[in-house]
C-alpha cells in the first residue's frame, strides 16, 4: 500500500519565531498581503503588531477581520472580494482554526476560480492556492499546517470538508508568545481538539508508522501539559509544549485522516453553530467506545500514552482505561459533559446522522457505522 505525507515546506516553532516569519515573507518577495483574522485579534492589537512588523520590511497589508467562529461561504466571498480589489499576491492567516480555514478558502478560490463549494470533498482543485503563511494563536486545530479546510454552508446548515493537497500552507508559524493569556475555556477546547486529532489518527485505517509516532507523542504532551496551560495561561513552557502537541497531532491526522468524532462534530457545528473543539471533546469517548469493538489494542496504546499503567491489562481493559482517561482530562479542564448542554436536540439526530455518514472524515474510522449506530452515539453523547 502506498502513502503520501503532506506538510508545509517550512514550519517555524518556538518563542519569538514570529520575527522569523516576517523575515521569511520579506525574503520571498511578496509585496501585498491579505491578513485574514477575526475582530477579537484586531481589537487586542495583535493584527497591528503583525502589520507593523511587515511594514518595517516594506510589505503592505490589508485586513479582513470578518471571520466567524465557524467560517462561512459568505466569509470566504467577502475576503476574496477584498483580496481581489487590492491586488494581493499572498495571504496571511492570523488566529486559530477559523481564520486559517477561511484564508485557505479565499486563497484556493483566488487561484482556481469558481466557488468554494466546488471544492468540497477530496482533491477537487486543479492548482495550488495563493501562497499562504499561517500564523497560529491557539494550540488545537493544527489548521496552520494541514490540507484540511472546513467551511460552513449557511444554506444547507452543514460544514463542508475540503481535503486538498493544494490547501497546504507555504509556511506555518507556532509562536507560543502569541498564545499567552488566552481564556481557559478556549485553551481547554483547543487542547481537547488536539487530543481528538491524535486519537482519531492513531485508530484510523490509514495510519502509518510515521503518523503513529507523532500521534502517540502528541497524546503524551497533551496529557502532560494541557491542565497546566488551562490553569495558568501565562505558563510559556506549557504553551510551547501544547503548540508542539497540536502540531504533531496535525501531522498525524493530515496524513492518516480522522474518524466519526469529526464527522459528527462537523454536523453539530454546522447545524447549531457550536464550538468545534468542545463538540469533539464530548464526542471523543463515545466514539472510541464504539471503536473499541474493533481496535482495543490501539486504544490500549492511547491509555499508556495518557499515563495509565496498562502492563497487566487486556486490550479490552486498556481500551476502557483510555476512555476513562479521556473523560477525566475533559472533566479536569472544564468541558461540558453532554451536547444537550450546548443546545443539541434529540429530534434532530436523524438529520445529523444522515449528514455525518456523508462526511469525508468518517471514511477512515476503524469501524463503519450504520445510521442506527451513528444515531445511538449521538444519543449517548446527549
Amino acid at each position: 500500500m502506498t502513502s503520501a505525507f503532506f506538510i508545509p515546506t517550512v514550519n517555524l516553532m518556538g518563542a519569538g519565531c514570529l520575527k522569523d516569519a516576517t523575515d521569511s515573507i520579506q525574503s520571498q518577495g511578496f509585496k501585498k498581503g491579505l491578513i485574514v483574522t477575526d475582530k477579537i485579534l484586531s481589537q487586542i492589537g495583535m493584527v497591528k503588531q503583525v502589520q507593523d512588523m511587515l511594514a518595517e520590511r516594506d510589505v503592505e497589508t490589508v485586513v479582513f477581520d470578518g471571520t466567524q467562529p465557524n467560517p462561512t461561504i459568505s466569509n470566504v466571498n467577502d475576503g476574496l472580494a477584498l483580496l481581489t480589489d487590492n491586488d494581493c499576491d499572498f495571504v496571511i492567516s492570523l488566529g486559530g482554526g477559523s481564520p486559517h480555514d477561511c484564508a485557505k478558502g479565499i486563497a484556493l478560490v483566488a487561484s482556481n476560480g469558481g466557488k468554494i463549494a466546488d471544492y468540497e470533498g477530496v482533491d477537487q482543485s486543479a492548482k495550488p492556492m495563493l501562497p499562504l503563511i499561517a500564523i497560529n494563536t491557539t494550540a488545537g486545530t493544527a489548521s496552520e499546517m494541514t490540507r484540511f479546510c472546513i467551511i460552513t454552508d449557511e444554506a444547507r446548515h452543514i460544514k463542508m470538508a475540503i481535503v486538498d493537497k493544494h490547501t497546504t500552507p507555504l509556511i506555518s508559524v507556532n509562536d507560543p508568545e502569541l498564545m499567552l493569556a488566552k481564556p481557559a475555556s478556549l485553551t481547554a477546547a483547543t487542547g481537547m481538539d488536539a487530543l481528538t486529532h491524535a486519537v482519531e489518527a492513531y485508530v484510523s485505517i490509514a495510519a502509518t508508522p510515521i503518523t503513529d509516532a507523532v500521534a502517540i507523542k502528541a497524546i503524551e504532551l497533551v496529557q502532560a501539559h494541557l491542565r497546566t496551560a488551562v490553569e495558568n495561561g501565562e505558563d510559556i513552557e506549557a504553551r510551547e509544549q501544547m503548540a508542539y502537541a497540536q502540531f504533531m497531532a496535525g501531522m498525524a491526522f493530515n496524513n492518516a485522516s480522522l474518524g466519526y468524532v469529526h464527522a459528527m462534530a462537523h454536523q453539530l457545528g454546522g447545524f447549531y453553530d457550536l464550538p468545534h473543539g468542545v463538540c469533539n471533546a464530548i464526542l471523543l469517548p463515545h466514539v472510541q467506545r464504539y471503536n473499541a469493538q474493533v481496535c482495543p489494542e490501539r486504544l490500549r496504546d492511547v491509555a499508556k500514552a495518557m499515563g495509565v499503567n496498562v502492563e497487566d491489562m487486556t486490550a479490552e481493559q486498556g481500551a476502557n482505561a483510555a476512555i476513562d482517561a479521556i473523560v477525566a482530562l475533559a472533566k479536569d479542564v472544564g468541558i461540558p459533559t453532554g451536547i444537550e448542554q450546548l443546545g443539541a436536540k434529540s429530534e434532530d439526530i436523524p438529520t445529523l446522522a444522515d449528514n455525518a455518514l456523508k462526511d469525508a472524515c468518517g471514511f477512515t474510522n476503524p469501524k463503519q457505522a450504520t445510521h442506527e449506530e451513528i444515531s445511538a452515539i449521538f444519543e449517548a453523547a446527549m
Side-chain angles (χ1 to χ4, degrees):
M1 180 176 131
T2 63
S3 65
F5 196 83
F6 298 97
I7 191 171
T9 305
V10 177
N11 301 278
L12 302 174
M13 307 288 295
C17 72
L18 177 61
K19 178 187 178 299
D20 299 334
T22 54
D23 288 343
S24 183
I25 289 170
Q26 181 185 35
S27 70
Q28 297 273 351
F30 296 128
K31 298 301 182 186
K32 192 170 189 178
L34 176 71
I35 298 179
V36 180
T37 187
D38 59 43
K39 287 188 167 49
I40 292 176
L41 293 182
S42 284
Q43 290 165 1
I44 67 174
M46 193 173 287
V47 176
K48 186 176 186 304
Q49 176 189 353
V50 173
Q51 283 190 289
D52 289 347
M53 292 177 74
L54 288 169
E56 291 170 3
R57 292 157 176 79
D58 298 318
V59 179
E60 288 184 68
T61 53
V62 292
V63 176
F64 173 70
D65 65 1
T67 307
Q68 295 171 228
N70 289 306
T72 64
I73 290 176
S74 295
N75 292 163
V76 171
N77 292 341
D78 292 344
L80 180 64
L82 191 61
L83 179 144
T84 303
D85 290 345
N86 288 275
D87 294 321
C88 297
D89 59 346
F90 77 110
V91 181
I92 298 169
S93 56
L94 177 64
S98 301
H100 299 320
D101 282 3
C102 188
K104 289 176 182 178
I106 292 166
L108 191 66
V109 178
S111 61
N112 283 272
K115 317 181 293 293
I116 189 59
D118 297 336
Y119 306 104
E120 184 177 5
V122 180
D123 287 337
Q124 296 299 306
S125 69
K127 296 184 291 186
M129 65 181 175
L130 214 60
L132 171 63
I133 288 79
I135 303 171
N136 208 18
T137 65
T138 65
T141 70
S143 186
E144 84 284 354
M145 57 79 63
T146 69
R147 60 194 170 110
F148 284 68
C149 172
I150 308 299
I151 302 295
T152 297
D153 183 331
E154 308 100 312
R156 291 186 289 162
H157 298 289
I158 65 163
K159 284 190 172 187
M160 299 184 296
I162 298 163
V163 186
D164 197 314
K165 60 182 178 292
H166 289 150
T167 65
T168 304
L170 178 66
I171 301 172
S172 79
V173 184
N174 274 285
D175 187 336
E177 290 180 353
L178 302 179
M179 302 175 187
L180 297 173
K182 293 297 184 298
S185 59
L186 177 63
T187 302
T190 54
M192 290 300 295
D193 193 18
L195 179 66
T196 303
H197 292 153
V199 172
E200 289 216 284
Y202 191 70
V203 302
S204 163
I205 61 170
T208 68
I210 298 173
T211 62
D212 284 352
V214 288
I216 288 295
K217 186 61 180 178
I219 294 167
E220 291 174 354
L221 289 175
V222 172
Q223 172 67 19
H225 298 285
L226 179 57
R227 290 177 177 88
T228 303
V230 171
E231 290 167 6
N232 179 12
E234 295 294 332
D235 189 315
I236 190 71
E237 174 65 13
R239 291 293 191 185
E240 183 157 331
Q241 294 304 311
M242 281 302 302
Y244 276 108
Q246 68 90 36
F247 185 87
M248 285 188 285
M251 289 175 68
F253 89 82
N254 195 38
N255 297 284
S257 196
L258 294 159
Y260 283 144
V261 179
H262 275 76
M264 296 169 71
H266 288 160
Q267 312 323 313
L268 295 170
F271 204 81
Y272 304 110
D273 197 25
L274 298 178
H276 176 68
V278 177
C279 293
N280 273 345
I282 294 172
L283 289 166
L284 181 59
H286 298 284
V287 173
Q288 299 321 310
R289 193 167 286 114
Y290 173 78
N291 288 340
Q293 299 173 72
V294 295
C295 60
E297 299 86 359
R298 291 242 134 191
L299 288 168
R300 183 179 183 270
D301 294 342
V302 170
K304 182 179 180 182
M306 294 192 74
V308 179
N309 183 353
V310 299
E311 188 173 339
D312 297 322
M313 291 186 182
T314 65
E316 289 72 20
Q317 289 170 333
N320 287 331
I323 293 163
D324 289 344
I326 291 167
V327 170
L329 179 57
K331 181 181 178 181
D332 287 350
V333 298
I335 297 293
T337 56
I339 56 176
E340 191 171 30
Q341 293 172 248
L342 306 180
K345 298 177 173 61
S346 292
E347 58 263 32
D348 296 327
I349 287 177
T351 301
L352 296 171
D354 279 341
N355 292 332
L357 288 170
K358 299 171 189 172
D359 192 292
C361 290
F363 300 161
T364 45
N365 199 74
K367 178 174 168 60
Q368 290 299 294
T370 64
H371 187 279
E372 183 179 10
E373 288 171 328
I374 286 285
S375 297
I377 299 171
F378 270 124
E379 194 63 55
M382 291 297 287

